[in-house]
mmCIF file of all heavy atoms in Angstrom:
data_model
loop_
_atom_site.group_PDB
_atom_site.id
_atom_site.type_symbol
_atom_site.label_atom_id
_atom_site.label_comp_id
_atom_site.label_asym_id
_atom_site.label_seq_id
_atom_site.Cartn_x
_atom_site.Cartn_y
_atom_site.Cartn_z
ATOM 1 N N SER Q 1 80.676 80.462 126.015
ATOM 2 C CA SER Q 1 80.584 81.398 124.908
ATOM 3 C C SER Q 1 81.969 81.723 124.397
ATOM 4 O O SER Q 1 82.944 81.643 125.128
ATOM 5 C CB SER Q 1 79.842 82.652 125.339
ATOM 6 O OG SER Q 1 80.688 83.529 126.014
ATOM 7 N N ARG Q 2 82.060 82.094 123.113
ATOM 8 C CA ARG Q 2 83.343 82.444 122.510
ATOM 9 C C ARG Q 2 83.306 83.914 122.112
ATOM 10 O O ARG Q 2 82.382 84.359 121.453
ATOM 11 C CB ARG Q 2 83.609 81.592 121.267
ATOM 12 C CG ARG Q 2 83.754 80.121 121.575
ATOM 13 C CD ARG Q 2 84.059 79.339 120.341
ATOM 14 N NE ARG Q 2 82.895 79.283 119.467
ATOM 15 C CZ ARG Q 2 82.879 78.659 118.300
ATOM 16 N NH1 ARG Q 2 83.944 78.051 117.853
ATOM 17 N NH2 ARG Q 2 81.800 78.637 117.557
ATOM 18 N N LYS Q 3 84.307 84.662 122.498
ATOM 19 C CA LYS Q 3 84.414 86.075 122.142
ATOM 20 C C LYS Q 3 85.739 86.237 121.422
ATOM 21 O O LYS Q 3 86.770 85.812 121.922
ATOM 22 C CB LYS Q 3 84.377 86.949 123.389
ATOM 23 C CG LYS Q 3 84.675 88.411 123.130
ATOM 24 C CD LYS Q 3 84.707 89.189 124.432
ATOM 25 C CE LYS Q 3 85.322 90.554 124.198
ATOM 26 N NZ LYS Q 3 85.476 91.293 125.433
ATOM 27 N N ILE Q 117 80.815 88.755 118.246
ATOM 28 C CA ILE Q 117 80.271 87.579 118.926
ATOM 29 C C ILE Q 117 79.945 86.506 117.892
ATOM 30 O O ILE Q 117 79.190 86.746 116.949
ATOM 31 C CB ILE Q 117 79.006 87.938 119.746
ATOM 32 C CG1 ILE Q 117 79.295 89.093 120.715
ATOM 33 C CG2 ILE Q 117 78.483 86.699 120.466
ATOM 34 C CD1 ILE Q 117 80.403 88.820 121.725
ATOM 35 N N ALA Q 118 80.577 85.347 118.066
ATOM 36 C CA ALA Q 118 80.348 84.208 117.167
ATOM 37 C C ALA Q 118 79.507 83.181 117.904
ATOM 38 O O ALA Q 118 79.799 82.848 119.049
ATOM 39 C CB ALA Q 118 81.685 83.600 116.758
ATOM 40 N N SER Q 119 78.475 82.673 117.247
ATOM 41 C CA SER Q 119 77.629 81.651 117.865
ATOM 42 C C SER Q 119 78.326 80.291 117.796
ATOM 43 O O SER Q 119 79.403 80.162 117.204
ATOM 44 C CB SER Q 119 76.273 81.600 117.168
ATOM 45 O OG SER Q 119 76.453 81.351 115.795
ATOM 46 N N ALA Q 120 77.705 79.286 118.377
ATOM 47 C CA ALA Q 120 78.277 77.932 118.376
ATOM 48 C C ALA Q 120 78.455 77.445 116.933
ATOM 49 O O ALA Q 120 77.765 77.891 116.025
ATOM 50 C CB ALA Q 120 77.362 76.984 119.142
ATOM 51 N N GLY Q 121 79.384 76.533 116.748
ATOM 52 C CA GLY Q 121 79.629 75.958 115.424
ATOM 53 C C GLY Q 121 80.819 76.577 114.728
ATOM 54 O O GLY Q 121 81.583 77.347 115.315
ATOM 55 N N LYS Q 122 80.959 76.220 113.462
ATOM 56 C CA LYS Q 122 82.074 76.754 112.676
ATOM 57 C C LYS Q 122 81.879 78.227 112.419
ATOM 58 O O LYS Q 122 80.754 78.696 112.245
ATOM 59 C CB LYS Q 122 82.182 75.993 111.352
ATOM 60 C CG LYS Q 122 82.601 74.540 111.533
ATOM 61 C CD LYS Q 122 82.871 73.874 110.208
ATOM 62 C CE LYS Q 122 83.389 72.465 110.447
ATOM 63 N NZ LYS Q 122 83.816 71.820 109.222
ATOM 64 N N ILE Q 123 82.994 78.982 112.390
ATOM 65 C CA ILE Q 123 82.883 80.418 112.164
ATOM 66 C C ILE Q 123 83.336 80.827 110.765
ATOM 67 O O ILE Q 123 83.123 81.957 110.368
ATOM 68 C CB ILE Q 123 83.621 81.234 113.246
ATOM 69 C CG1 ILE Q 123 85.081 80.855 113.336
ATOM 70 C CG2 ILE Q 123 82.929 81.080 114.576
ATOM 71 C CD1 ILE Q 123 85.873 81.685 114.321
ATOM 72 N N GLY Q 124 83.941 79.904 110.018
ATOM 73 C CA GLY Q 124 84.235 80.159 108.609
ATOM 74 C C GLY Q 124 85.262 81.230 108.334
ATOM 75 O O GLY Q 124 85.127 81.993 107.377
ATOM 76 N N PRO Q 146 79.249 82.583 109.128
ATOM 77 C CA PRO Q 146 78.213 83.342 109.828
ATOM 78 C C PRO Q 146 78.715 84.737 110.244
ATOM 79 O O PRO Q 146 77.919 85.581 110.631
ATOM 80 C CB PRO Q 146 77.893 82.477 111.051
ATOM 81 C CG PRO Q 146 79.092 81.623 111.251
ATOM 82 C CD PRO Q 146 79.703 81.422 109.895
ATOM 83 N N LEU Q 147 80.017 84.965 110.118
ATOM 84 C CA LEU Q 147 80.589 86.274 110.468
ATOM 85 C C LEU Q 147 80.786 87.178 109.258
ATOM 86 O O LEU Q 147 81.330 88.276 109.386
ATOM 87 C CB LEU Q 147 81.930 86.083 111.198
ATOM 88 C CG LEU Q 147 81.864 85.290 112.500
ATOM 89 C CD1 LEU Q 147 83.245 85.171 113.119
ATOM 90 C CD2 LEU Q 147 80.888 85.909 113.471
ATOM 91 N N LEU Q 177 89.902 78.620 119.057
ATOM 92 C CA LEU Q 177 88.532 78.885 118.606
ATOM 93 C C LEU Q 177 87.780 77.584 118.348
ATOM 94 O O LEU Q 177 86.628 77.428 118.749
ATOM 95 C CB LEU Q 177 88.536 79.757 117.347
ATOM 96 C CG LEU Q 177 88.837 81.230 117.568
ATOM 97 C CD1 LEU Q 177 89.178 81.914 116.264
ATOM 98 C CD2 LEU Q 177 87.662 81.913 118.250
ATOM 99 N N ALA Q 178 88.441 76.641 117.675
ATOM 100 C CA ALA Q 178 87.806 75.361 117.359
ATOM 101 C C ALA Q 178 87.458 74.589 118.629
ATOM 102 O O ALA Q 178 86.415 73.933 118.698
ATOM 103 C CB ALA Q 178 88.717 74.531 116.455
ATOM 104 N N ARG Q 180 86.409 75.670 121.261
ATOM 105 C CA ARG Q 180 85.251 76.280 121.919
ATOM 106 C C ARG Q 180 84.026 76.299 121.013
ATOM 107 O O ARG Q 180 83.075 77.039 121.266
ATOM 108 C CB ARG Q 180 85.610 77.709 122.350
ATOM 109 C CG ARG Q 180 86.744 77.719 123.363
ATOM 110 C CD ARG Q 180 87.209 79.113 123.683
ATOM 111 N NE ARG Q 180 88.313 79.047 124.643
ATOM 112 C CZ ARG Q 180 88.491 79.916 125.617
ATOM 113 N NH1 ARG Q 180 87.676 80.924 125.774
ATOM 114 N NH2 ARG Q 180 89.512 79.773 126.435
ATOM 115 N N HIS Q 181 84.031 75.472 119.958
ATOM 116 C CA HIS Q 181 82.942 75.516 118.976
ATOM 117 C C HIS Q 181 81.578 75.111 119.535
ATOM 118 O O HIS Q 181 80.549 75.452 118.974
ATOM 119 C CB HIS Q 181 83.276 74.660 117.746
ATOM 120 C CG HIS Q 181 83.152 73.190 117.971
ATOM 121 N ND1 HIS Q 181 84.123 72.450 118.597
ATOM 122 C CD2 HIS Q 181 82.154 72.335 117.669
ATOM 123 C CE1 HIS Q 181 83.735 71.190 118.667
ATOM 124 N NE2 HIS Q 181 82.547 71.086 118.112
ATOM 125 N N LYS Q 182 81.556 74.412 120.667
ATOM 126 C CA LYS Q 182 80.278 73.999 121.256
ATOM 127 C C LYS Q 182 79.730 75.038 122.232
ATOM 128 O O LYS Q 182 78.598 74.928 122.689
ATOM 129 C CB LYS Q 182 80.410 72.643 121.951
ATOM 130 C CG LYS Q 182 80.626 71.504 120.965
ATOM 131 C CD LYS Q 182 80.655 70.160 121.652
ATOM 132 C CE LYS Q 182 80.849 69.052 120.621
ATOM 133 N NZ LYS Q 182 80.969 67.739 121.252
ATOM 134 N N ASN Q 183 80.536 76.054 122.555
ATOM 135 C CA ASN Q 183 80.056 77.116 123.445
ATOM 136 C C ASN Q 183 78.898 77.853 122.763
ATOM 137 O O ASN Q 183 78.914 78.005 121.537
ATOM 138 C CB ASN Q 183 81.175 78.122 123.744
ATOM 139 C CG ASN Q 183 82.290 77.531 124.577
ATOM 140 O OD1 ASN Q 183 82.297 76.342 124.876
ATOM 141 N ND2 ASN Q 183 83.248 78.365 124.947
ATOM 142 N N PRO Q 184 77.926 78.337 123.522
ATOM 143 C CA PRO Q 184 76.803 79.049 122.909
ATOM 144 C C PRO Q 184 77.267 80.278 122.112
ATOM 145 O O PRO Q 184 76.677 80.637 121.111
ATOM 146 C CB PRO Q 184 75.939 79.479 124.092
ATOM 147 C CG PRO Q 184 76.397 78.662 125.248
ATOM 148 C CD PRO Q 184 77.791 78.223 124.973
ATOM 149 N N SER Q 185 78.358 80.917 122.585
ATOM 150 C CA SER Q 185 78.926 82.047 121.846
ATOM 151 C C SER Q 185 80.392 82.199 122.224
ATOM 152 O O SER Q 185 80.839 81.691 123.245
ATOM 153 C CB SER Q 185 78.162 83.338 122.139
ATOM 154 O OG SER Q 185 78.341 83.731 123.471
ATOM 155 N N ARG Q 186 81.125 82.891 121.329
ATOM 156 C CA ARG Q 186 82.545 83.201 121.568
ATOM 157 C C ARG Q 186 82.747 84.667 121.257
ATOM 158 O O ARG Q 186 82.218 85.161 120.258
ATOM 159 C CB ARG Q 186 83.449 82.371 120.648
ATOM 160 C CG ARG Q 186 83.400 80.897 120.938
ATOM 161 C CD ARG Q 186 83.850 80.095 119.745
ATOM 162 N NE ARG Q 186 82.772 80.029 118.759
ATOM 163 C CZ ARG Q 186 82.825 79.348 117.641
ATOM 164 N NH1 ARG Q 186 83.890 78.671 117.322
ATOM 165 N NH2 ARG Q 186 81.806 79.338 116.804
ATOM 166 N N LYS Q 187 83.517 85.361 122.074
ATOM 167 C CA LYS Q 187 83.818 86.761 121.806
ATOM 168 C C LYS Q 187 85.194 86.844 121.166
ATOM 169 O O LYS Q 187 86.185 86.417 121.750
ATOM 170 C CB LYS Q 187 83.775 87.591 123.102
ATOM 171 C CG LYS Q 187 84.005 89.083 122.845
ATOM 172 C CD LYS Q 187 83.716 89.921 124.087
ATOM 173 C CE LYS Q 187 84.951 90.091 124.910
ATOM 174 N NZ LYS Q 187 84.795 91.030 126.018
#
Side-chain angles (χ1 to χ4, degrees):
S1 82
R2 296 182 289 180
K3 172 184 167 185
I117 306 301
S119 57
K122 293 187 176 187
I123 57 176
L147 300 180
L177 284 165
R180 298 174 181 217
H181 75 280
K182 291 184 179 176
N183 292 5
S185 67
R186 294 158 282 184
K187 183 170 91 172

